Amino acid sequence: MKVTFPHMGYLYVCVKGLLEYLDIEVILPPPTSKRTLTLGTKYGPEFACMPLKLNLGNMIEASELGADTLIMIGGCGPCRFGYYAQVEYAILKDLGYHYNMVVLEPPDKHISELTTRIRKITGNKSWVQVIKAIRFAYQKSRAVDEVELMSFKIRPRELVLGETDRALAKAIKEIDNAASPQQLQLALLRSKDIMNSVAIDPNRPVIKIALIGEIYTLLDPFSNLNIERHLGRLGVEVDRSIYLSEWINDHLFMGLLKGIRSTKEYCQSAAPFLNHFVGGHGLETIGSVSVYAKRGYHGAIQLFPFTCMPEIVAQSILPKVGDALAMPVMTLIVDEHSGEAGMITRLEAFVDLLTRKREFKAN
Amino acid sequence: MSVKVGIPRALLYYYYYPLWKDFFESLGCEVVLSDKSNKGILDSGIKNTVDEACLPVKLAFGHVKNLADKPVDYIFIPRLVSVAYKEYICPKFLGFPDMARQNIVGLPAVIDTTISFMRKRHNVDQAYKQLGKKFSGNPIKVRQAYHKGLRALAKYNQLLLKGHLPEEAMSIMYDRSAKASQVKPCGDLNIAIIGHPYNIYDPYISMNIIKRLQSMGVVVVTPDHLSEDEVRHQAGRLPKKLFWTLGQRMIGAGYHYAESEDIDGIIHIAAFGCGPDSMTGELIERNIRGSTKLPFLNLTLDEHTGEAGVITRLEAFLDMVRWKNSPKKQFIS
Ligand code: SF4
Ligand code: SF4
């Protein structure tokens, strides 16, 4: 059995960690590339959201490398994500890619549906071991988040252009290579050292922008055209409304782990602008604006893939929220035609606006 | 003077209007409908929504605006979370009342009662009870109004099952001057039109596709001519239950008509950029192309769709269906 799963930013670090901890052979899809997107666009439904197309491309490319078992997460609506796996499976089958697909999702009738599916991958490993592996994966996601957070602070202050990105790549590699919780502890220390070794100017004034919106485009640098890097280079310190570990805790552990960031606060802050959940992270998108305004952020950028339903609901309400809170908000929609050059121009204009606004306030 | 409640002729108007109308009227309200869709309504909808919204949502904005200008005392924009147990319609329906409220200036009071079958039926009765309180202090009267509404809805659904289209069914029910039993259109072809009710039944945005086909000698059937049981039974063939109620109707009808002997072709109508349609359309098309030789046409609607182009495609499609139906086997032998 050669197991694969689609990419979403650094998600692979923790899922690979989980599977390898259980001695399962993993075949990672090649890093998402133009080819991945081209494949997904060619074979996916025209109006599917981009994550579906990228998933599909990942799956085709992993199959080419010999993967035969596919893990997907599912859901029960109302947004499309909950039916991704079934549509992707139908397309792959027609194309002649034969996968054994295991969909992990809230069970329809009984919890045993889920456990049988997990068993398909873990075989005769004991549940204790499975739980240990899950914990290990979660620790990896925390570690990844920690170094990413460091990069957000360091990048706008770096003295040598591109230094932060090189350090981040190395730091992630350290975490990725750790094969046990003990190794991971040491790896995290090394990763932090790597990040801290980037030379910075701590006194440089920065603009603070919150990145909010749809989870996949927020977490996946390929699909968001490296927005964090570009903003950093424009002297912007960013924060993201969603982190991997948070999402795992909120959605997979049902918020079991206390005391870590959660998106609950965002949901609670969405009224009176949006008074009901709308699937995906639409409610969080609306609520996060007021949370970030309170935290002193200068602006927010909403990111989502073309045709994303929950985010379109949010998008149509966001300007009102921004006005009410005096927080400039910009919306960026990505699809297979988006280019980095066009986005950079828009980012520059937005950062300019925020800078002028801040100077105006200071005078 | 009685209270005027405005109901937009959009979205699930095509499924629930009889219920809503009888409910409000029994409580002594006057029900005011927005005008039939037209260019002005669509344009004002487009002006008031974001570009990325789908055509039906833009049109619905136009209808809400149209009512706001009428004027009415209330506009009824229920938050239709779910109309079946553990199912949804579309994320946009969940946010629609907020979208409208935040974007349309000069709205009268909005009634945005949440309708959700998500957990159980009981919640819906509660919703109408709450809603009725606004107009009557008498709970018995409210309950009677709700039951009257339900009866009207049942009658309406009966008419649809008999093969009437929503507009016809409503005129049979409400228009005294209309002939009680209309003559059923006849033709040499049976074509199934699969799509969201607010796309296929709205004469303006569908470019009158149903009437047009009828005038070309086609008998049109839609998902709403099939019983709930049949639709669900067919949709049950999916590997996983579909969580969109309207998507279930479309898939179920797609599967049903793909197998039925007397259907000559299927037309799938989707709104540009529609999320659920991108998934259900794909599944329906794969099923039809994979297991039948049934002619299939995919039409995508948006505000830029040209009427001429649609007519050409329809004609070409019908030519193809007729050619396939012609006794060509004799011809070959
Ligand atoms: S949240 Fe948006 S992009 Fe993600 S699956 Fe749902 S509709 Fe698609
Ligand atoms: S189902 Fe499609 S057409 Fe209907 S509101 Fe949702 S996205 Fe728009």
Side-chain angles (χ1 to χ4, degrees):
Chain A
M1 184 172 63
K2 294 179 176 165
V3 180
T4 195
F5 52 88
H7 277 301
M8 178 169 77
Y10 296 121
L11 174 72
Y12 75 90
V13 176
C14 46
V15 183
K16 179 166 157 268
L18 184 146
L19 295 170
E20 288 183 343
Y21 191 86
L22 293 167
D23 296 324
I24 294 164
E25 188 180 350
V26 176
I27 295 205
L28 273 192
T32 305
S33 66
K34 271 263 160 340
R35 177 175 188 254
T36 319
L37 182 56
T38 310
L39 286 170
T41 309
K42 184 164 169 204
Y43 299 117
E46 186 182 356
F47 295 123
C49 26
M50 197 168 64
L52 185 144
K53 297 178 186 175
L54 292 176
N55 275 190
L56 196 61
N58 288 152
M59 293 166 183
I60 293 175
E61 291 185 306
S63 172
E64 290 168 352
L65 295 181
D68 54 27
T69 303
L70 182 63
I71 305 182
M72 262 300 277
I73 301 182
C76 41
C79 109
R80 266 171 282 188
F81 184 71
Y83 225 77
Y84 261 31
Q86 284 69 26
V87 171
E88 287 162 349
Y89 184 77
I91 297 173
L92 288 169
K93 204 179 102 210
D94 287 355
L95 288 174
Y97 295 100
H98 292 291
Y99 264 123
N100 179 11
M101 174 115 77
V102 182
V103 188
L104 304 180
E105 57 191 340
D108 211 20
K109 293 189 185 72
H110 196 264
I111 184 83
S112 64
E113 285 172 45
L114 182 60
T115 51
T116 346
R117 280 183 216 149
I118 294 177
R119 275 264 164 265
K120 272 198 199 156
I121 309 166
T122 58
N124 50 16
K125 294 273 174 340
S126 76
W127 285 111
V128 176
Q129 273 217 291
V130 174
I131 289 165
K132 274 191 183 156
I134 292 175
R135 190 161 61 199
F136 180 52
Y138 177 71
Q139 284 162 351
K140 281 207 171 192
S141 73
R142 292 276 286 182
V144 168
D145 288 350
E146 270 186 65
V147 294
E148 275 208 281
L149 268 163
M150 291 176 80
S151 76
F152 295 161
K153 297 233 183 290
I154 295 169
R155 203 181 275 117
R157 299 174 173 94
E158 69 185 3
L159 294 178
V160 184
L161 190 75
E163 197 68 3
T164 315
D165 294 320
R166 282 188 287 274
L168 181 63
K170 265 201 252 165
I172 299 279
K173 189 129 211 122
E174 288 284 343
I175 298 169
D176 186 23
N177 287 340
S180 69
Q182 295 74 21
Q183 286 182 22
L184 181 58
Q185 272 186 0
L186 295 175
L188 182 57
L189 291 178
R190 280 197 302 275
S191 305
K192 287 182 176 172
D193 283 346
I194 294 171
M195 296 309 290
N196 281 327
S197 70
V198 177
I200 56 163
D201 169 5
N203 299 319
R204 193 181 285 171
V206 296
I207 291 278
K208 289 165 100 179
I209 294 181
L211 299 175
I212 60 179
E214 189 269 341
I215 179 168
Y216 189 95
T217 26
L218 279 178
L219 294 184
D220 190 70
F222 179 85
S223 68
N224 66 34
L225 310 161
N226 292 306
I227 191 169
E228 287 162 3
R229 178 187 303 168
H230 295 303
L231 283 171
R233 291 181 179 184
L234 291 172
V236 176
E237 182 182 318
V238 299
D239 189 25
R240 247 185 355 227
S241 59
I242 302 171
Y243 289 89
L244 205 53
S245 62
E246 229 175 74
W247 181 82
I248 295 177
N249 185 40
D250 278 353
H251 294 265
L252 302 184
F253 301 166
M254 307 292 174
L256 222 59
L257 301 173
K258 303 291 172 212
I260 70 157
R261 283 175 56 138
S262 156
T263 41
K264 261 209 199 99
E265 187 188 1
Y266 300 148
C267 298
Q268 287 155 357
S269 312
F273 297 102
L274 181 57
N275 300 298
H276 200 282
F277 110 104
V278 292
H281 289 86
L283 192 61
E284 285 91 333
T285 299
I286 292 293
S288 61
V289 178
S290 78
V291 174
Y292 280 111
K294 265 187 237 141
R295 288 190 202 151
Y297 275 70
H298 302 103
I301 297 178
Q302 181 199 21
L303 266 172
F304 68 87
F306 181 60
T307 77
C308 170
M309 305 177 283
E311 293 300 329
I312 289 174
V313 174
Q315 181 203 6
S316 69
I317 297 172
L318 265 181
K320 294 286 150 14
V321 187
D323 286 353
L325 298 161
M327 173 95 140
V329 190
M330 174 168 90
T331 293
L332 281 178
I333 302 170
V334 290
D335 70 0
E336 54 264 38
H337 310 296
S338 308
E340 268 181 74
M343 185 187 70
I344 294 175
T345 317
R346 293 196 57 196
L347 294 182
E348 283 170 347
F350 190 59
V351 173
D352 254 12
L353 171 99
L354 298 184
T355 314
R356 265 182 285 123
K357 213 182 135 207
R358 192 179 59 176
E359 280 162 6
F360 180 75
K361 255 196 191 158
N363 288 331
Chain B
M1 228 177 64
S2 58
V3 179
K4 285 192 176 127
V5 177
I7 297 183
R9 214 188 272 263
L11 300 179
L12 291 195
Y13 154 82
Y14 293 99
Y15 278 1
Y16 295 113
Y17 178 61
L19 164 61
W20 296 338
K21 176 182 158 74
D22 277 38
F23 177 72
F24 285 118
E25 285 183 353
S26 306
L27 293 174
C29 305
E30 182 188 336
V31 169
V32 179
L33 268 177
S34 55
D35 298 341
K36 290 200 169 149
S37 298
N38 56 42
K39 187 166 186 313
I41 290 185
L42 180 58
D43 284 348
S44 91
I46 291 172
K47 227 175 58 206
N48 287 291
T49 36
V50 288
D51 278 350
E52 285 69 23
C54 53
L55 185 64
V57 164
K58 287 177 179 163
L59 188 74
F61 264 69
H63 280 280
V64 173
K65 179 84 178 95
N66 178 265
L67 285 170
D69 295 341
K70 272 207 182 280
V72 292
D73 302 300
Y74 292 95
I75 298 190
F76 183 54
I77 322 181
R79 192 187 302 277
L80 293 158
V81 173
S82 152
V83 294
Y85 182 56
K86 282 201 176 168
E87 289 175 18
Y88 292 102
I89 306 172
C90 160
K92 290 178 190 166
F93 279 75
L94 277 69
F96 187 70
D98 296 308
M99 288 165 83
R101 196 184 281 122
Q102 298 297 337
N103 286 289
I104 303 177
V105 257
L107 271 193
V110 168
I111 306 179
D112 64 349
T113 312
T114 298
I115 310 264
S116 177
F117 279 78
M118 213 41 209
R119 297 194 205 292
K120 53 175 169 329
R121 222 202 133 80
H122 187 63
N123 294 3
V124 184
D125 302 354
Q126 282 296 335
Y128 282 95
K129 224 160 130 185
Q130 283 293 329
L131 177 56
K133 263 194 200 154
K134 258 190 170 27
F135 304 102
S136 163
N138 180 348
I140 296 173
K141 206 172 151 199
V142 172
R143 205 174 53 224
Q144 280 169 347
Y146 178 52
H147 284 283
K148 187 146 180 260
L150 285 180
R151 281 198 298 277
L153 187 63
K155 186 170 164 206
Y156 175 68
N157 287 335
Q158 277 304 317
L159 287 167
L160 295 185
L161 279 182
K162 274 197 204 141
H164 292 286
L165 293 159
E167 291 283 346
E168 289 162 19
M170 285 188 209
S171 69
I172 292 171
M173 286 174 72
Y174 299 122
D175 190 354
R176 287 208 188 96
S177 59
K179 272 180 275 161
S181 70
Q182 289 179 332
V183 212
K184 276 196 132 191
C186 50
D188 64 325
L189 288 183
N190 295 320
I191 303 279
I193 298 193
I194 312 273
H196 281 110
Y198 40 84
N199 286 326
I200 61 178
Y201 300 132
D202 188 286
Y204 182 72
I205 56 170
S206 74
M207 290 172 235
N208 233 335
I209 191 164
I210 293 181
K211 287 259 159 56
R212 216 181 275 279
L213 284 170
Q214 286 171 340
S215 73
M216 293 172 175
V218 169
V219 177
V220 173
V221 291
T222 72
D224 303 307
H225 293 144
L226 301 176
S227 72
E228 187 73 17
D229 285 349
E230 171 61 11
V231 167
R232 287 187 176 270
H233 169 70
Q234 292 284 352
R237 288 161 47 189
L238 287 169
K240 166 184 171 176
K241 185 186 155 175
L242 197 64
F243 42 73
W244 296 307
T245 308
L246 303 190
Q248 286 233 15
R249 289 209 77 89
M250 283 151 54
I251 295 256
Y255 285 5
H256 172 96
Y257 288 131
E259 279 181 353
S260 81
E261 290 284 308
D262 46 2
I263 291 295
D264 303 300
I266 294 188
I267 300 178
H268 177 252
I269 298 190
F272 177 86
C274 167
D277 284 358
S278 69
M279 309 293 269
T280 50
E282 183 76 16
L283 292 169
I284 293 174
E285 183 162 356
R286 275 184 193 275
N287 173 273
I288 290 176
R289 297 215 195 277
S291 64
T292 71
K293 291 205 170 58
L294 206 61
F296 180 83
L297 174 69
N298 211 350
L299 277 183
T300 307
L301 303 174
D302 77 353
E303 58 264 42
H304 312 296
T305 313
E307 192 156 345
V310 170
I311 298 174
T312 316
R313 293 191 58 196
L314 282 182
E315 283 171 350
F317 180 70
L318 293 186
D319 282 350
M320 196 251 287
V321 177
R322 290 203 165 96
W323 178 81
K324 267 197 80 186
N325 278 4
S326 63
K328 55 180 180 292
K329 289 202 187 80
Q330 293 166 19
F331 177 75
I332 293 167
S333 57

